[in-house]
Amino acid sequence: MSAAANNPGNEGARAGLFGRIRAALGVDSGDGRTKAVTERLASHPRGPQPARSVGAGDHDDAHRHRLFVEKALEAAASVEPLSSRAEVPQAIARYLRQNNLPPRLRLAPDAGLDALDWASAPLLEVSAGASDGSDPASLTVPFAAIAETGTLMLVSGATSPVTLAFLPETHFVLMRKNQIAGTLEAAFDRLRAAHGNAMPRAINFVTGPSRSADIEQTLQMGAHGPKRLHILLLDE
């Protein structure tokens, strides 16, 4: 980024430029248009939703949790329920050992992940940061999950590099049950409530591990992303 872009003095010039554009277009900031857009986003009508989503609203926790696990398993992900965060390091080490995978893990640079008791899994080599493609396994935290399809909603940011969700062959996801929204619409409601107009640069939806049957109609796992998706579901 250039020095000019970092100069706070440019904010006034930018505001003036946009003001002249609005004036040329005949848009008055006080004409109620901004308010109308905000109200529309908050109260717009919803389209039809799949029958399986009925009862999966945010008020129906048990149904929403069961539906998410069911759909995630159907999509070839694996789900491991955990009662506390203290179990996470050993659960990951155990999964890697049982699947004969290297005991190496790349963490998202998230304070909550860094604070886990990694010393309780002494054979696990742990590092943090974005992936350059050489990491065999990663651990990330999703923004939300969608019960109706067993989908994870991942947002980009300083604590959630996109590379960790797509480059390692094994992707661990640590999430709480209360992060599960019933529908896609409910997940976007949460996103708007959390970010307002400052949306993440990228929003990715992940349903199960990567796969493709484009080559001779033979299913290949890990075709353009992780071969394995293991969801650690915290009952907190």
Side-chain angles (χ1 to χ4, degrees):
M1 183 177 290
S2 68
N6 286 317
N7 186 349
N10 286 331
E11 292 300 323
R14 187 178 296 109
L17 173 62
F18 286 130
R20 292 192 295 274
I21 293 174
R22 283 193 294 271
L25 294 174
V27 177
D28 182 356
S29 60
D31 66 359
R33 296 187 185 186
T34 299
K35 180 181 178 182
V37 171
T38 302
E39 291 177 349
R40 171 67 178 176
L41 288 173
S43 61
H44 65 88
R46 297 296 173 96
Q49 296 181 359
R52 63 174 174 265
S53 300
V54 175
D58 284 343
H59 63 284
D60 193 344
D61 294 345
H63 178 83
R64 190 172 69 252
H65 300 159
R66 287 195 302 270
L67 183 60
F68 172 76
V69 172
E70 175 189 332
K71 294 302 176 182
L73 294 176
E74 285 181 4
S78 51
V79 181
E80 181 174 355
L82 299 177
S83 59
S84 75
R85 296 172 67 85
E87 301 175 47
V88 173
Q90 293 184 43
I92 291 176
R94 182 171 57 251
Y95 179 93
L96 294 174
R97 183 173 62 253
Q98 291 174 346
N99 288 277
N100 197 29
L101 298 170
R104 290 168 45 211
L105 181 69
R106 189 73 166 175
L107 304 180
D110 177 279
L113 297 183
D114 187 60
L116 294 175
D117 183 17
W118 296 107
S120 66
L123 298 182
L124 188 60
E125 180 185 330
V126 179
S127 60
S131 177
D132 62 1
S134 63
D135 305 292
S138 64
L139 173 62
T140 68
V141 177
F143 173 79
I146 301 167
E148 65 174 325
T149 53
T151 298
L152 301 170
M153 176 187 261
L154 311 177
V155 301
S156 62
T159 61
S160 52
V162 173
T163 54
L164 293 178
F166 296 105
L167 296 183
E169 289 195 341
T170 302
H171 183 196
F172 293 97
V173 173
L174 176 62
M175 57 178 289
R176 304 182 309 277
K177 284 185 175 180
N178 64 9
Q179 289 180 277
I180 302 174
T183 62
L184 177 65
E185 292 87 348
F188 269 108
D189 286 342
R190 295 187 183 200
L191 188 69
R192 293 189 188 99
H195 292 274
N197 292 327
M199 284 291 185
R201 186 170 188 180
I203 303 170
N204 292 293
F205 296 93
V206 172
T207 307
S210 170
R211 77 200 74 188
S212 175
D214 292 341
I215 303 173
E216 296 183 354
Q217 298 184 349
T218 300
L219 182 64
Q220 297 290 334
M221 303 300 288
H224 42 69
K227 291 182 177 179
R228 293 165 287 272
L229 175 63
H230 190 61
I231 301 169
L232 302 168
L233 188 57
L234 284 173
D235 189 10
E236 292 184 343

